[in-house]
Amino acid sequence: MSELELRQTTVEASADHLPARPRGRMPRIGTLLSGAFVLFLLAASIAPALIATQDPNQIAAADAFQPPSIAHWFGTDESGRDLYSRVVAGTGTSLLIGVTATAIGLALGLVLGVLASFGGRVVDFGVNRLVEVLFAFPGLLLALLVIVVYGPGPVTATIAVGLSTAPGYARIIRGQLVSIRSSQYVEAARVLGRAPGRILAQHVLPNALIPLFVLATLGIGQAIVWAAALSYLGLGAQPPAAEWGAMLAAGRTYLATAWWMTVFPGLMIVGTTIATTVLGRAMTRRGRSGR
Amino acid sequence: MRAAPVTTSSTTRRFGAIGVALVATVTLAGCQAPAPEASGDPVQGGTLSYASGDAEPTCLDPHVGGNYPQALLAGQFLESLVSRDETGEIIPWLAESWTASDDGLAWEFTLRDDVAFTDGAPLDAEAVKVNVEHLKDPATQSSTGYLALGKVDRVEVVDEQVARFVLSSPDSALLESLTQPWTAIESPAGLARGMDENCQAPIGTGPFIVDEWVKQDHVSLVRNDDYASAPADAAHEGPAYLEAIDWRFVPDAASRYAALQAGQVDVIDNPQPDTISTAESNDSLVWLDAPRPGAANRIELNSGQAPFDDERVREAFIRAVEVDEGIESLFFGTAERSYSPLSSVESVAYSDEALFEPDLDRANALLDEAGWSERDADGYRVRDGARLTLRFPVSTNQSIPAEQSLFEQVQATAKAAGFDVVIELLDLSSWYGALAAHEYEIVSAPYTKVGPDVLRILYHSDSITPAPSGYFANLSQLNDPEVDALLSDAAATSDPEARAASYEKAQRLILGGYYLLPLYDQQNSFLMSTSVQGARALPTVSTPTFYDAWLAG
Amino acid sequence: MTPGSPADRPSRVNGAALRRTGLLVAGAAFVLWAVASLTFFAIRLIPGDPAQAILGGPGSQASQEALDQVRRDYGLDQPLLVQYLAMLGRLVTGDLGTSYALKLPVADLLGAQLGGTLLLATLALALAWLLALGLAIWSTGRGRVASALGEGIEITSAALPHFWLAAVLIAVFSTGLGWLPPVATGTPSGLVLPVVTLAVPLAGFLAQVMRESLLDTMQQPFVVSARARGESALGVRLRHTIRHAALPAISLSGWALGWLLSGAVVVETIFAMPGLGRTLLQAVTLRDIPVVTGVVLLVALVYVLMTVLTDVVSRIADPRLRQEGAR
C-alpha cells in the first residue's frame, strides 16, 4: 500500500466517521462558562436596561475619567458616562454587527462555494473569477466605498464587513468541497449510483460545514474587530451609540491615563470571540460524535 | 475673477508724504522672542525633527488652495511682505516700509534691496506683481489668498524696489492679509515652472529651502546659507542656526507623542490635551501655546431654515447647552472658554458672558413659546408632528477626539430641553457636501485669518452666496443689513478707533442674535523637547518658526 | 517522502498544464478588467464632483469657468461610457492617469509607495506563518492544558484590533522600555512594531485553521505508521504533518494578503509609514479617483500573482488537487 493510497483511505476514515479521538478537549467548565457568558450577552442585548446600572448616555463631565469603583464598576469615560452601562448597552449593537456580518459573508460564501464546486467547469471558472475579483478588492476599501456612498453607521459597516468577508468564506468552502468530492468515499457513493443531490447532502456538506462552523465562530469576533477599525477611522457607529469598537477607538486616545476605557470594551470583544468559539467547538464535537 | 490687467499708466504718480497712513519704523531685531525663553548661547548646526499631525498638503505652494497645513510648512521657506508682532502691530518683513494714499485705494510697498530668492533672483517689485497675478489667476486655484486679496485690483511696478497695490475699494485689512503665508512671495521663475513642479518645491526667500518631499513620509528642509530677510521681531540676523529640518507627517496623535517621548522627534503639533497636561509636569518637555488668530472655535446655528430661523429657538439651544465643565475636563485646563466670535489674539474681540449663561428653564419657556410645546415618547420636542431635530455634521479630518467628545456632551445636554441633536461623523468631502446642501442645523468649522476682518467673511450676507463648489463661509446664514453695513465700514475705514468701534457693534449684534455658541480659541499647541531653544510661533497665523531655534546639548 | 511523485502522474499532464496556464492568464486579465470596471462605476456612485476634487478639493473657491475648463480637459463632460472606454484604453497602454490632488502621474506615486507596503505585508505574512506554525505544532496533541492555552492565545490574538495592539506595543516597547522607535522612519528597527502589529492577529487566525487540519492529520495511519517505524514525535510533526496542516492555511494566504492590506491602512497611519494603505485612505477622502483606481488595480495585480503562487504551492503540497488539475 503506497502512502498515497494510505492517505486517501484515511481521509475517508477521518472525514466520514470520525473516531472518538483524544482531542484537546476544552474542559467542560469552559463550555459552561462560555454558555453563561453568551447568555449574559443575549440578556444584555434584549433587555440592557435590566442589567445596566445607569443610563449609558448620562453625561457628568465632573465625573470624567473615574477609575473602576463601587459606583462605577468599569469606571467612567471622558464625559463621565458609566462604562459598565455603556458596555452593556453596546452589546446588542456589537453582537448584531458581528452576527449579521458573518451571516452575510457565510451565506454569500456558501452559495458561491457550492456553485463553484458542483456547477461544472464553466460555472466553477466563472465563480472563481468572481471570487477573485472580490478578493482582489481590499476589504477595507470595499467598506470605505460602501460607507462613503451610503453614509457611515452600524448598518453600512455591517454590510461592508459582511461583503468583504464573503470571498474568503467562498474560497474556503470551495476548497473543502473539492477536496471532499475527490475523496474515495464520495467516489464510492458515486459508483454505487447515489444521486448527486444526496451525495451533496449526506456526505459532502456535513464534512465541509464543520470546519466552516469554526471559522464562523471566529468570524463573529473578527467582524466586530473590523467594525472597530472603521470606528478608529471615524466611520463606524455614530455617537453617542455605545458600540464596543467605537468605545475601544475612543478609549485608545486615553490609553496612558485611563486604561479602563479600552480594557473593558476590549475584554468584551475577546470574551465574546472566545465564548462563541468554545461553544462552536463543543457543538462541532457533539455533531461529530452524534453521526 | 480674472488676472489683474497690466497697466503702467500711473507709475509716475508719486505719493505725497502727507498721505501716509502708516509708516513703519524699521527696527530690526527690536522685539524679543516670546516664551519659551531661550537659555544659553545658540548652537550652530543639527537637524530638527518635526512631527506634524495636520494633513499632508497636496501642494507645498500655499497660493494653491490655501489651508493651514500648507501654512505650517510654508512658514519655513516662504516669507510675506509684512508681519505682525505680539501686540498686533504690523511690522516690516520683505517690505521695509509702506504708505497708503488718502483715499485708501493705492498702497506703495518699498522692498528691501538686499534680499534674493533661493534661486538667485533678486526680490523686486516685478516679483511682487507676478505673485499677486499668480494668486488672482483662476488657473492657480487659490482660495484663501485669492479671498484675502479680493479688493486688490492690480499691482504696478513703480520702480525696482517699489510696488503699488491698486485697490478697487479701501481695505483696512490689507496689511493683515499680506502677513499671511497664503499671500507669501515666491520666486517668479519658480512660479513660471507651472503648478505641477512648483507644488513639489516652491522657491522663496525663507531661512530654509525645500530639498525633497517624500509623499506620506516627510519633507526635508535645508538651511538657506544666504538668508538675509528676518522679520523685524526675530531674535537674530543672518542664516538660521539649524542646518536642516526633517518635517514628518505622523497622523496619529498617540504615535506623535510617543515619538516625542522617545526622543525620535523634537517638536510635535496638535498634541492631545491630556498629553499636554502630562507634559506640563515633565521637565524634558515644553508646551508652546499659540492660539490661532481670526475666529474662535464655535458652533454656528443655521438661521437660514427652520427651526433656527426663530431667534427664540436659537436662544433656547444656547441656554440649554452646557459646555463649561466639559471644556474643563476634556481639555485638562489647556483651553479657556470663549464668549466672543473672535480669537482672544485679536485685540478688538468683544465678549459677552451673560448671553451664554446656561438656563434650562428659560430654554424650555422659549421653546414652549415658539410652538415646540409637546414632547414625544423619547422626550424630544415635536411641533406639527415633526421632531425638533438638529443635524450636526462633524468632520473627522478637522475635529480632534476631545472636541468630538464635547459635541457628544452638547448632544446630551441639549436633550434635556428636548432637542434631538444628530451627530454625523463624516470625512472631509462628505462634510463639505452636507454643508453645501444645507443639510445642517448646527456646525463647527474652523476659520483662520489674521485680523478681525474674518468677521466680514463669516457673517456678511455676501458670504451666503455659495462659490460654484457650493461652499459658503457664512454658515450661520446671518443676513442682517446692519451687520453688513458695520462690517463694510470697518473694512473701509483707515481710522483704527472707528474700525474697532464698528467691529464691536457688529460683534454685539452677532452675539445678541444667538447665531453662534463660542467654545474656545482655535487650539494650536506644540510640544517640544527642552533641547529645542529659541523656537516660537509667528504672531501672524501662529505657525511655528525655527529660524531662531537651535538644538542644545 | 512526497506521496505521488512526478512518475505517478498521468502523461496528459503537460497538455493540461498548458491549458491551465492559458486559463490562469485569461483569468488574471479578467480579474484586472473587472476590478477596474467595478472601481470606475463604484466611484461614480460617490457623491461629489470630480472637477471639484481636481480644483483644490472640497471647500474650494473654484470659479465656474475653471470648473468647465477642467471638465473639458479631463473629459468629464463626455458620456459615462465614453469616459469608461477612454479609461480602459489608457489602462491597456499602462497609463494610470494623473492624480487629481497631487497632479502627479499615478504610476510614479504608487511606484514610490508599493515597495514599503509589500515589504510590510510580506514580512507580516512570514512572521504570521512562523508564529502560527510554531503555536499549532507546540500546542496540538499535547494534552488539555497546552491545547486550551494554545487555543486561548490564538483566539485572543485573532480578536485584537490593529489600532489597539499598536497602541499597547508602542506603550510597552517605545515609551516604556525604549527599545524600538514608535514612528517608522525607514530603518529596520522601525519596521518591527508595524510588522508585529499586523502579524499577531493574522497568526491567531492561521493557527486556528492549522490546528484543525493538524489534529485531523495526526490521527491518520501514515502518521501512526511513521511513529511505528520509530520516528520521533517531533520528527513526525515536522516531516509529515506540517504539510497537511499548512494546506488550508496556504489557500488562505490570498485572503491573508487582502486582510494585511486592509490592516495596512490602519498600521501605516499609526506608525506614520508611507504606503498604499495610507495613500488609499487619503485618496478616498479627497475623491482622487485615478489614485483610488490605481491602488485597487495594483492590489489586484499583486493578488493575482499571489493566487498563481498559492495555486502552485497547494498543488505541490496536496496531490488530490494535482490529480484534479490533470483530470
Side-chain angles (χ1 to χ4, degrees), chain A residues 59 61 65 78-79 81 152 232 238-240 252-253 257, chain B residues 252 272 274 329-330 332 405 408-409 411-412 423-425:
Chain A
I59 299 265
F65 303 113
E78 77 279 11
S79 293
R81 293 175 295 203
Y232 167 74
Q238 298 289 290
R252 202 193 73 91
T253 308
T257 41
Chain B
D252 191 274
Q272 298 276 6
D274 61 322
S329 67
L330 289 167
F332 294 83
S405 301
E408 283 187 51
Q409 300 193 6
Q411 182 181 46
I423 295 177
E424 296 160 331
L425 297 180

PDB file of all heavy atoms in Angstrom, chain A residues 59 61 65 78-79 81 152 232 238-240 252-253 257, chain B residues 252 272 274 329-330 332 405 408-409 411-412 423-425:
ATOM      1  N   ILE A  59     -24.493  62.078  30.844  1.00  0.00           N
ATOM      2  CA  ILE A  59     -23.242  62.835  30.902  1.00  0.00           C
ATOM      3  C   ILE A  59     -23.049  63.396  32.312  1.00  0.00           C
ATOM      4  O   ILE A  59     -24.000  63.861  32.933  1.00  0.00           O
ATOM      5  CB  ILE A  59     -23.305  64.016  29.917  1.00  0.00           C
ATOM      6  CG1 ILE A  59     -23.482  63.514  28.492  1.00  0.00           C
ATOM      7  CG2 ILE A  59     -22.141  64.958  30.071  1.00  0.00           C
ATOM      8  CD1 ILE A  59     -22.235  63.355  27.716  1.00  0.00           C
ATOM      9  N   ALA A  61     -19.802  65.571  33.311  1.00  0.00           N
ATOM     10  CA  ALA A  61     -18.439  65.998  32.994  1.00  0.00           C
ATOM     11  C   ALA A  61     -17.546  66.022  34.231  1.00  0.00           C
ATOM     12  O   ALA A  61     -16.354  65.737  34.156  1.00  0.00           O
ATOM     13  CB  ALA A  61     -18.458  67.376  32.334  1.00  0.00           C
ATOM     14  N   PHE A  65     -13.272  60.325  33.612  1.00  0.00           N
ATOM     15  CA  PHE A  65     -12.033  59.579  33.857  1.00  0.00           C
ATOM     16  C   PHE A  65     -11.935  59.008  35.261  1.00  0.00           C
ATOM     17  O   PHE A  65     -10.869  58.995  35.861  1.00  0.00           O
ATOM     18  CB  PHE A  65     -10.801  60.454  33.590  1.00  0.00           C
ATOM     19  CG  PHE A  65     -10.745  61.030  32.202  1.00  0.00           C
ATOM     20  CD1 PHE A  65     -10.875  62.389  31.983  1.00  0.00           C
ATOM     21  CD2 PHE A  65     -10.569  60.199  31.097  1.00  0.00           C
ATOM     22  CE1 PHE A  65     -10.832  62.916  30.699  1.00  0.00           C
ATOM     23  CE2 PHE A  65     -10.521  60.723  29.812  1.00  0.00           C
ATOM     24  CZ  PHE A  65     -10.653  62.081  29.623  1.00  0.00           C
ATOM     25  N   GLU A  78     -14.614  59.760  29.108  1.00  0.00           N
ATOM     26  CA  GLU A  78     -14.173  61.159  29.084  1.00  0.00           C
ATOM     27  C   GLU A  78     -15.312  62.136  29.358  1.00  0.00           C
ATOM     28  O   GLU A  78     -15.077  63.300  29.668  1.00  0.00           O
ATOM     29  CB  GLU A  78     -13.483  61.479  27.747  1.00  0.00           C
ATOM     30  CG  GLU A  78     -14.409  61.691  26.546  1.00  0.00           C
ATOM     31  CD  GLU A  78     -14.890  60.399  25.897  1.00  0.00           C
ATOM     32  OE1 GLU A  78     -14.687  59.318  26.474  1.00  0.00           O
ATOM     33  OE2 GLU A  78     -15.499  60.480  24.803  1.00  0.00           O
ATOM     34  N   SER A  79     -16.558  61.658  29.229  1.00  0.00           N
ATOM     35  CA  SER A  79     -17.683  62.535  29.531  1.00  0.00           C
ATOM     36  C   SER A  79     -18.367  62.145  30.832  1.00  0.00           C
ATOM     37  O   SER A  79     -19.471  62.580  31.121  1.00  0.00           O
ATOM     38  CB  SER A  79     -18.705  62.496  28.387  1.00  0.00           C
ATOM     39  OG  SER A  79     -18.149  63.084  27.231  1.00  0.00           O
ATOM     40  N   ARG A  81     -19.535  59.235  31.624  1.00  0.00           N
ATOM     41  CA  ARG A  81     -20.577  58.219  31.477  1.00  0.00           C
ATOM     42  C   ARG A  81     -20.093  56.907  32.090  1.00  0.00           C
ATOM     43  O   ARG A  81     -18.891  56.608  32.076  1.00  0.00           O
ATOM     44  CB  ARG A  81     -20.912  58.017  29.986  1.00  0.00           C
ATOM     45  CG  ARG A  81     -21.570  59.252  29.397  1.00  0.00           C
ATOM     46  CD  ARG A  81     -21.780  59.114  27.913  1.00  0.00           C
ATOM     47  NE  ARG A  81     -20.516  59.028  27.188  1.00  0.00           N
ATOM     48  CZ  ARG A  81     -20.398  59.354  25.897  1.00  0.00           C
ATOM     49  NH1 ARG A  81     -21.431  59.749  25.201  1.00  0.00           N
ATOM     50  NH2 ARG A  81     -19.227  59.261  25.298  1.00  0.00           N
ATOM     51  N   PRO A 152     -21.893  56.841   6.930  1.00  0.00           N
ATOM     52  CA  PRO A 152     -21.396  55.966   7.984  1.00  0.00           C
ATOM     53  C   PRO A 152     -22.515  55.525   8.920  1.00  0.00           C
ATOM     54  O   PRO A 152     -23.563  56.165   8.983  1.00  0.00           O
ATOM     55  CB  PRO A 152     -20.393  56.847   8.720  1.00  0.00           C
ATOM     56  CG  PRO A 152     -20.855  58.235   8.465  1.00  0.00           C
ATOM     57  CD  PRO A 152     -21.513  58.233   7.128  1.00  0.00           C
ATOM     58  N   TYR A 232     -12.249  53.415  14.365  1.00  0.00           N
ATOM     59  CA  TYR A 232     -10.977  54.113  14.566  1.00  0.00           C
ATOM     60  C   TYR A 232     -10.799  55.166  13.477  1.00  0.00           C
ATOM     61  O   TYR A 232     -10.294  56.252  13.716  1.00  0.00           O
ATOM     62  CB  TYR A 232      -9.813  53.124  14.528  1.00  0.00           C
ATOM     63  CG  TYR A 232      -8.452  53.788  14.414  1.00  0.00           C
ATOM     64  CD1 TYR A 232      -7.890  54.445  15.501  1.00  0.00           C
ATOM     65  CD2 TYR A 232      -7.747  53.764  13.212  1.00  0.00           C
ATOM     66  CE1 TYR A 232      -6.666  55.060  15.393  1.00  0.00           C
ATOM     67  CE2 TYR A 232      -6.521  54.380  13.100  1.00  0.00           C
ATOM     68  CZ  TYR A 232      -5.971  55.028  14.186  1.00  0.00           C
ATOM     69  OH  TYR A 232      -4.748  55.654  14.064  1.00  0.00           O
ATOM     70  N   GLN A 238     -22.230  55.834  15.070  1.00  0.00           N
ATOM     71  CA  GLN A 238     -22.234  57.271  15.297  1.00  0.00           C
ATOM     72  C   GLN A 238     -22.543  57.593  16.760  1.00  0.00           C
ATOM     73  O   GLN A 238     -23.331  56.908  17.402  1.00  0.00           O
ATOM     74  CB  GLN A 238     -23.285  57.909  14.396  1.00  0.00           C
ATOM     75  CG  GLN A 238     -22.994  57.698  12.916  1.00  0.00           C
ATOM     76  CD  GLN A 238     -21.814  58.504  12.434  1.00  0.00           C
ATOM     77  OE1 GLN A 238     -21.870  59.705  12.344  1.00  0.00           O
ATOM     78  NE2 GLN A 238     -20.705  57.835  12.142  1.00  0.00           N
ATOM     79  N   PRO A 239     -21.924  58.633  17.292  1.00  0.00           N
ATOM     80  CA  PRO A 239     -22.177  58.986  18.687  1.00  0.00           C
ATOM     81  C   PRO A 239     -23.640  59.373  18.916  1.00  0.00           C
ATOM     82  O   PRO A 239     -24.263  59.888  17.987  1.00  0.00           O
ATOM     83  CB  PRO A 239     -21.260  60.200  18.902  1.00  0.00           C
ATOM     84  CG  PRO A 239     -20.875  60.680  17.552  1.00  0.00           C
ATOM     85  CD  PRO A 239     -21.021  59.538  16.621  1.00  0.00           C
ATOM     86  N   PRO A 240     -24.178  59.143  20.087  1.00  0.00           N
ATOM     87  CA  PRO A 240     -23.478  58.624  21.265  1.00  0.00           C
ATOM     88  C   PRO A 240     -23.589  57.111  21.395  1.00  0.00           C
ATOM     89  O   PRO A 240     -23.415  56.580  22.478  1.00  0.00           O
ATOM     90  CB  PRO A 240     -24.248  59.309  22.403  1.00  0.00           C
ATOM     91  CG  PRO A 240     -25.668  59.377  21.893  1.00  0.00           C
ATOM     92  CD  PRO A 240     -25.587  59.502  20.401  1.00  0.00           C
ATOM     93  N   ARG A 252      -8.727  54.547  23.166  1.00  0.00           N
ATOM     94  CA  ARG A 252      -7.333  54.444  22.771  1.00  0.00           C
ATOM     95  C   ARG A 252      -6.609  55.780  22.943  1.00  0.00           C
ATOM     96  O   ARG A 252      -5.436  55.825  23.289  1.00  0.00           O
ATOM     97  CB  ARG A 252      -7.249  54.016  21.313  1.00  0.00           C
ATOM     98  CG  ARG A 252      -5.955  53.387  20.925  1.00  0.00           C
ATOM     99  CD  ARG A 252      -5.857  53.292  19.433  1.00  0.00           C
ATOM    100  NE  ARG A 252      -5.616  54.594  18.872  1.00  0.00           N
ATOM    101  CZ  ARG A 252      -4.403  55.082  18.649  1.00  0.00           C
ATOM    102  NH1 ARG A 252      -3.352  54.356  18.941  1.00  0.00           N
ATOM    103  NH2 ARG A 252      -4.234  56.265  18.140  1.00  0.00           N
ATOM    104  N   THR A 253      -7.346  56.869  22.724  1.00  0.00           N
ATOM    105  CA  THR A 253      -6.781  58.205  22.883  1.00  0.00           C
ATOM    106  C   THR A 253      -6.234  58.401  24.295  1.00  0.00           C
ATOM    107  O   THR A 253      -5.263  59.101  24.503  1.00  0.00           O
ATOM    108  CB  THR A 253      -7.889  59.255  22.642  1.00  0.00           C
ATOM    109  OG1 THR A 253      -8.508  58.960  21.399  1.00  0.00           O
ATOM    110  CG2 THR A 253      -7.332  60.647  22.608  1.00  0.00           C
ATOM    111  N   THR A 257      -3.654  57.389  30.301  1.00  0.00           N
ATOM    112  CA  THR A 257      -4.213  57.938  31.533  1.00  0.00           C
ATOM    113  C   THR A 257      -5.426  57.168  32.048  1.00  0.00           C
ATOM    114  O   THR A 257      -5.701  57.207  33.249  1.00  0.00           O
ATOM    115  CB  THR A 257      -4.605  59.415  31.342  1.00  0.00           C
ATOM    116  OG1 THR A 257      -5.215  59.569  30.060  1.00  0.00           O
ATOM    117  CG2 THR A 257      -3.401  60.318  31.434  1.00  0.00           C
TER     118      THR A 257
ATOM    119  N   ASP B 252      -1.231  60.047  13.595  1.00  0.00           N
ATOM    120  CA  ASP B 252      -1.807  59.541  14.839  1.00  0.00           C
ATOM    121  C   ASP B 252      -1.240  60.288  16.049  1.00  0.00           C
ATOM    122  O   ASP B 252      -0.021  60.306  16.269  1.00  0.00           O
ATOM    123  CB  ASP B 252      -1.517  58.044  14.955  1.00  0.00           C
ATOM    124  CG  ASP B 252      -2.306  57.431  16.087  1.00  0.00           C
ATOM    125  OD1 ASP B 252      -1.821  57.472  17.239  1.00  0.00           O
ATOM    126  OD2 ASP B 252      -3.403  56.931  15.826  1.00  0.00           O
ATOM    127  N   GLN B 272      -2.593  65.794  22.070  1.00  0.00           N
ATOM    128  CA  GLN B 272      -3.853  65.586  22.790  1.00  0.00           C
ATOM    129  C   GLN B 272      -3.819  66.408  24.076  1.00  0.00           C
ATOM    130  O   GLN B 272      -2.779  66.493  24.727  1.00  0.00           O
ATOM    131  CB  GLN B 272      -3.998  64.119  23.187  1.00  0.00           C
ATOM    132  CG  GLN B 272      -4.063  63.161  22.037  1.00  0.00           C
ATOM    133  CD  GLN B 272      -5.448  63.043  21.490  1.00  0.00           C
ATOM    134  OE1 GLN B 272      -6.353  63.763  21.909  1.00  0.00           O
ATOM    135  NE2 GLN B 272      -5.633  62.174  20.531  1.00  0.00           N
ATOM    136  N   ASP B 274      -4.751  65.754  27.045  1.00  0.00           N
ATOM    137  CA  ASP B 274      -4.271  65.047  28.239  1.00  0.00           C
ATOM    138  C   ASP B 274      -2.752  64.922  28.230  1.00  0.00           C
ATOM    139  O   ASP B 274      -2.116  64.956  29.275  1.00  0.00           O
ATOM    140  CB  ASP B 274      -4.947  63.676  28.387  1.00  0.00           C
ATOM    141  CG  ASP B 274      -4.674  62.749  27.228  1.00  0.00           C
ATOM    142  OD1 ASP B 274      -4.627  63.234  26.078  1.00  0.00           O
ATOM    143  OD2 ASP B 274      -4.504  61.538  27.452  1.00  0.00           O
ATOM    144  N   SER B 329     -12.858  69.491  31.685  1.00  0.00           N
ATOM    145  CA  SER B 329     -12.391  68.109  31.889  1.00  0.00           C
ATOM    146  C   SER B 329     -11.783  67.520  30.625  1.00  0.00           C
ATOM    147  O   SER B 329     -10.802  66.792  30.680  1.00  0.00           O
ATOM    148  CB  SER B 329     -13.538  67.231  32.394  1.00  0.00           C
ATOM    149  OG  SER B 329     -14.531  67.092  31.400  1.00  0.00           O
ATOM    150  N   LEU B 330     -12.307  67.839  29.462  1.00  0.00           N
ATOM    151  CA  LEU B 330     -11.792  67.234  28.231  1.00  0.00           C
ATOM    152  C   LEU B 330     -10.474  67.854  27.789  1.00  0.00           C
ATOM    153  O   LEU B 330      -9.633  67.197  27.186  1.00  0.00           O
ATOM    154  CB  LEU B 330     -12.815  67.387  27.103  1.00  0.00           C
ATOM    155  CG  LEU B 330     -14.064  66.530  27.223  1.00  0.00           C
ATOM    156  CD1 LEU B 330     -15.120  67.001  26.243  1.00  0.00           C
ATOM    157  CD2 LEU B 330     -13.719  65.067  26.982  1.00  0.00           C
ATOM    158  N   PHE B 332      -8.367  69.388  29.928  1.00  0.00           N
ATOM    159  CA  PHE B 332      -7.440  69.348  31.064  1.00  0.00           C
ATOM    160  C   PHE B 332      -6.895  70.743  31.384  1.00  0.00           C
ATOM    161  O   PHE B 332      -5.694  70.911  31.636  1.00  0.00           O
ATOM    162  CB  PHE B 332      -6.290  68.380  30.785  1.00  0.00           C
ATOM    163  CG  PHE B 332      -6.743  66.955  30.679  1.00  0.00           C
ATOM    164  CD1 PHE B 332      -7.267  66.469  29.490  1.00  0.00           C
ATOM    165  CD2 PHE B 332      -6.673  66.090  31.766  1.00  0.00           C
ATOM    166  CE1 PHE B 332      -7.708  65.156  29.394  1.00  0.00           C
ATOM    167  CE2 PHE B 332      -7.106  64.781  31.679  1.00  0.00           C
ATOM    168  CZ  PHE B 332      -7.628  64.317  30.483  1.00  0.00           C
ATOM    169  N   SER B 405     -15.872  64.580  21.690  1.00  0.00           N
ATOM    170  CA  SER B 405     -16.496  64.250  22.974  1.00  0.00           C
ATOM    171  C   SER B 405     -17.321  65.427  23.481  1.00  0.00           C
ATOM    172  O   SER B 405     -18.410  65.244  24.024  1.00  0.00           O
ATOM    173  CB  SER B 405     -15.427  63.889  24.006  1.00  0.00           C
ATOM    174  OG  SER B 405     -14.665  62.790  23.557  1.00  0.00           O
ATOM    175  N   GLU B 408     -20.560  65.484  21.865  1.00  0.00           N
ATOM    176  CA  GLU B 408     -21.468  64.496  22.461  1.00  0.00           C
ATOM    177  C   GLU B 408     -22.109  65.059  23.732  1.00  0.00           C
ATOM    178  O   GLU B 408     -23.260  64.759  24.029  1.00  0.00           O
ATOM    179  CB  GLU B 408     -20.719  63.205  22.791  1.00  0.00           C
ATOM    180  CG  GLU B 408     -20.452  62.342  21.577  1.00  0.00           C
ATOM    181  CD  GLU B 408     -19.854  60.997  21.960  1.00  0.00           C
ATOM    182  OE1 GLU B 408     -20.420  60.327  22.837  1.00  0.00           O
ATOM    183  OE2 GLU B 408     -18.814  60.630  21.392  1.00  0.00           O
ATOM    184  N   GLN B 409     -21.331  65.852  24.464  1.00  0.00           N
ATOM    185  CA  GLN B 409     -21.904  66.452  25.666  1.00  0.00           C
ATOM    186  C   GLN B 409     -22.928  67.515  25.306  1.00  0.00           C
ATOM    187  O   GLN B 409     -23.937  67.674  25.994  1.00  0.00           O
ATOM    188  CB  GLN B 409     -20.777  67.038  26.533  1.00  0.00           C
ATOM    189  CG  GLN B 409     -19.781  65.971  26.957  1.00  0.00           C
ATOM    190  CD  GLN B 409     -18.846  66.437  28.037  1.00  0.00           C
ATOM    191  OE1 GLN B 409     -18.979  67.518  28.583  1.00  0.00           O
ATOM    192  NE2 GLN B 409     -17.876  65.599  28.372  1.00  0.00           N
ATOM    193  N   GLN B 411     -24.775  67.323  22.717  1.00  0.00           N
ATOM    194  CA  GLN B 411     -25.917  66.490  22.342  1.00  0.00           C
ATOM    195  C   GLN B 411     -26.712  66.074  23.582  1.00  0.00           C
ATOM    196  O   GLN B 411     -27.939  66.191  23.617  1.00  0.00           O
ATOM    197  CB  GLN B 411     -25.364  65.253  21.622  1.00  0.00           C
ATOM    198  CG  GLN B 411     -26.384  64.280  21.110  1.00  0.00           C
ATOM    199  CD  GLN B 411     -25.694  63.105  20.435  1.00  0.00           C
ATOM    200  OE1 GLN B 411     -24.734  62.546  20.981  1.00  0.00           O
ATOM    201  NE2 GLN B 411     -26.161  62.730  19.259  1.00  0.00           N
ATOM    202  N   ALA B 412     -25.981  65.619  24.604  1.00  0.00           N
ATOM    203  CA  ALA B 412     -26.658  65.108  25.804  1.00  0.00           C
ATOM    204  C   ALA B 412     -27.351  66.223  26.578  1.00  0.00           C
ATOM    205  O   ALA B 412     -28.471  66.039  27.065  1.00  0.00           O
ATOM    206  CB  ALA B 412     -25.653  64.394  26.702  1.00  0.00           C
ATOM    207  N   ILE B 423     -25.519  63.758  15.628  1.00  0.00           N
ATOM    208  CA  ILE B 423     -24.137  63.964  15.200  1.00  0.00           C
ATOM    209  C   ILE B 423     -23.836  63.024  14.039  1.00  0.00           C
ATOM    210  O   ILE B 423     -24.099  61.827  14.116  1.00  0.00           O
ATOM    211  CB  ILE B 423     -23.164  63.707  16.361  1.00  0.00           C
ATOM    212  CG1 ILE B 423     -23.387  64.748  17.459  1.00  0.00           C
ATOM    213  CG2 ILE B 423     -21.726  63.735  15.885  1.00  0.00           C
ATOM    214  CD1 ILE B 423     -22.526  64.532  18.689  1.00  0.00           C
ATOM    215  N   GLU B 424     -23.312  63.583  12.951  1.00  0.00           N
ATOM    216  CA  GLU B 424     -22.933  62.751  11.808  1.00  0.00           C
ATOM    217  C   GLU B 424     -21.433  62.909  11.591  1.00  0.00           C
ATOM    218  O   GLU B 424     -20.966  63.983  11.197  1.00  0.00           O
ATOM    219  CB  GLU B 424     -23.695  63.203  10.554  1.00  0.00           C
ATOM    220  CG  GLU B 424     -25.200  63.015  10.672  1.00  0.00           C
ATOM    221  CD  GLU B 424     -25.977  63.880   9.688  1.00  0.00           C
ATOM    222  OE1 GLU B 424     -25.492  64.966   9.319  1.00  0.00           O
ATOM    223  OE2 GLU B 424     -27.073  63.467   9.295  1.00  0.00           O
ATOM    224  N   LEU B 425     -20.671  61.838  11.853  1.00  0.00           N
ATOM    225  CA  LEU B 425     -19.232  61.892  11.611  1.00  0.00           C
ATOM    226  C   LEU B 425     -18.995  61.642  10.129  1.00  0.00           C
ATOM    227  O   LEU B 425     -19.378  60.607   9.599  1.00  0.00           O
ATOM    228  CB  LEU B 425     -18.501  60.841  12.440  1.00  0.00           C
ATOM    229  CG  LEU B 425     -18.578  60.983  13.954  1.00  0.00           C
ATOM    230  CD1 LEU B 425     -17.806  59.862  14.628  1.00  0.00           C
ATOM    231  CD2 LEU B 425     -18.038  62.328  14.397  1.00  0.00           C
TER     232      LEU B 425
END
